[in-house]
Amino acid sequence: MDAVVLVGGFGTRLRPLTEQIPKPMLPVGHVPMIERLIRRLGRGGVTDVVLALGFKPEPFHEAFPADRCGDVRVTYAVEPEPLDTAGAIRFAADTAGIDSTFVVANGDVMTDLDVGALVEAHRVAGAEATIHLIGVEDPSAFGVVELVDGSESGGGRAGRIERFVEKPAPGTEPSNLINAGTYVFEPAVLERIPAGRRVSIERDTFPELVEAGSMFGLATVDYWIDAGVPDLYRAANLDLLSGDRVHDSCEAISPDASVDPGATLMNTIVGAGAVIESGTTVVDTVVLPGGFIGARAQVESSLVMGRVEADATVIEAIIGAEGVVAEGDHVAFDTVPAQQ
Ligand code: GTP
């Protein structure tokens, strides 16, 4: 089965980390986010993935030198200009010649969803489109659905979607079930998307499918996180240390990192090539490959790709690859270098 994976966004919310590395290539537990996603799609029966890109594919070629990720074949569709989510799906599907039931996934979703179960629910319903749904406490920042005729299917509750509202005003949400960013489509969906221009799957295509009565959802209680914002990107990493994920886990410290025995690390991931000097305390933090934390520095709840010099204090901050927190400085609730 084919899958289109959307990876062409700008990743603005993860700046400055995304200034050097495209968001899907950022590591989650030492492995690029995109690689964990493709492996999961492979476990669910996907054999061919087309990456829908809006920019240069080089970092992806480097990650998948033989155009394979495990058993999954990887190809690329590079848009001449960003076509938005539906436009990108249409362009990628046309490029790859997709002409049967296929999967679509947002590149920054980390979940334990069994894609095979979503495909099965889609087939049972005879749907044109079936989307994965997750219940959340505050659905107002997401696409929210009203599900009818809910019945048990493949480890979740499946039903027809009667309403799809993208980012409803708080208090007006039809339910707490949100679009979780993994879809199964019939090729007929592609015919609803005009070629060669910007079209949004959430704002344009889903309302049309709801109107046609051919859009279904499968609500599950799987682990799910949209890793496209700093706190959730950090959580997606640290959750791999807890042992709660079904297929994914990681070591806290990469064998290629240098951590002084006099450093205290708690609930922290240290990537390849990172250096942590003696007397430091690092808590609830992801130190990305190449990150540096100097002697006696205190770092808490942060993402560090650049340098935190000796005796500095860093709390709830993002330090980009070019970022330097000077010796003895304090940085809290901020990004370094500062963002516009
Ligand atoms: P922000 O800039 O931080 O909002 O991130 P983003 O650009 O990735 O946006 P968002 O998370 O809303 O996008 C959802 C998914 O669609 C992500 O996987 C994006 O990579 C992808 N995406 C968004 N717009 C485009 C586009 O024009 N082309 C392609 N190929 N993918 C897109």
Side-chain angles (χ1 to χ4, degrees), residues 208-241:
E208 195 180 315
L209 284 159
V210 168
E211 185 72 17
S214 57
M215 179 156 160
F216 287 69
L218 176 69
T220 75
V221 291
D222 293 304
Y223 175 91
W224 180 88
I225 228 169
D226 173 351
V229 295
D231 275 355
L232 297 180
Y233 171 65
R234 192 162 56 85
N237 274 274
L238 299 181
D239 287 346
L240 292 173
L241 297 175

Side-chain angles (χ1 to χ4, degrees), residues 1-339:
M1 179 173 290
D2 288 300
V4 173
V5 179
L6 292 170
V7 286
F10 291 110
T12 47
R13 291 167 299 167
L14 276 182
R15 281 184 191 153
L17 303 183
T18 45
E19 257 145 35
Q20 275 76 22
I21 303 176
K23 178 165 66 174
M25 293 304 301
L26 286 175
V28 168
H30 310 295
V31 174
M33 212 185 283
I34 185 70
E35 195 174 323
R36 289 196 183 270
L37 170 59
I38 296 176
R39 283 189 203 163
R40 184 172 58 81
L41 294 177
R43 286 193 294 272
V46 167
T47 53
D48 292 79
V49 158
V50 51
L51 296 180
L53 300 166
F55 44 78
K56 289 182 287 184
E58 283 76 21
F60 298 91
H61 284 307
E62 276 168 35
F64 309 120
D67 290 340
R68 295 197 81 81
C69 175
D71 292 334
V72 178
R73 199 165 75 94
V74 180
T75 58
Y76 305 88
V78 185
E79 290 148 49
E81 58 195 352
L83 294 171
D84 208 344
T85 41
I89 294 166
R90 168 84 202 249
F91 181 81
D94 287 351
T95 305
I98 291 175
D99 58 3
S100 56
T101 310
F102 66 105
V103 173
V104 175
N106 276 355
D108 36 19
V109 165
M110 294 286 109
T111 176
D112 287 336
L113 168 73
D114 172 2
V115 172
L118 189 67
V119 173
E120 181 59 20
H122 175 82
R123 295 227 155 99
V124 168
E128 183 177 345
T130 303
I131 74 172
H132 178 216
L133 304 170
I134 282 281
V136 298
E137 235 166 72
D138 177 11
S140 61
F142 301 92
V144 188
V145 306
E146 189 176 334
L147 194 67
V148 289
D149 321 328
S151 61
E152 293 307 308
S153 169
R157 191 163 64 87
R160 192 168 55 76
I161 294 176
E162 192 146 275
R163 216 143 61 92
F164 184 95
V165 196
E166 185 64 15
K167 300 188 177 63
T172 68
E173 306 93 343
S175 76
N176 73 334
L177 292 177
I178 62 152
N179 169 13
T182 309
Y183 322 131
V184 181
F185 286 168
E186 290 305 305
V189 174
L190 300 171
E191 286 158 32
R192 298 181 182 274
I193 304 170
R197 65 175 176 86
R198 289 183 66 84
V199 188
S200 160
I201 201 79
E202 298 87 354
R203 295 186 187 281
D204 303 317
T205 317
F206 285 166
E208 195 180 315
L209 284 159
V210 168
E211 185 72 17
S214 57
M215 179 156 160
F216 287 69
L218 176 69
T220 75
V221 291
D222 293 304
Y223 175 91
W224 180 88
I225 228 169
D226 173 351
V229 295
D231 275 355
L232 297 180
Y233 171 65
R234 192 162 56 85
N237 274 274
L238 299 181
D239 287 346
L240 292 173
L241 297 175
S242 68
D244 290 342
R245 297 289 310 276
V246 175
H247 294 283
D248 296 79
S249 63
C250 79
E251 296 297 320
I253 301 172
S254 159
D256 301 321
S258 162
V259 177
D260 188 280
T264 304
L265 304 186
M266 281 176 274
N267 194 35
T268 285
I269 288 181
V270 184
V275 174
I276 315 280
E277 293 191 336
S278 81
T280 50
T281 304
V282 189
V283 182
D284 297 335
T285 287
V286 179
V287 184
L288 289 135
F292 172 86
I293 301 185
R296 298 169 304 280
Q298 313 267 324
V299 180
E300 196 183 306
S301 306
S302 295
L303 295 162
V304 179
M305 201 181 245
R307 293 183 68 85
V308 175
E309 301 293 352
D311 299 303
T313 309
V314 171
I315 297 169
E316 290 197 34
I318 309 176
I319 315 300
E322 309 283 307
V324 179
V325 180
E327 192 171 331
D329 257 12
H330 299 267
V331 172
F333 311 103
D334 209 350
T335 57
V336 181
Q339 294 301 293

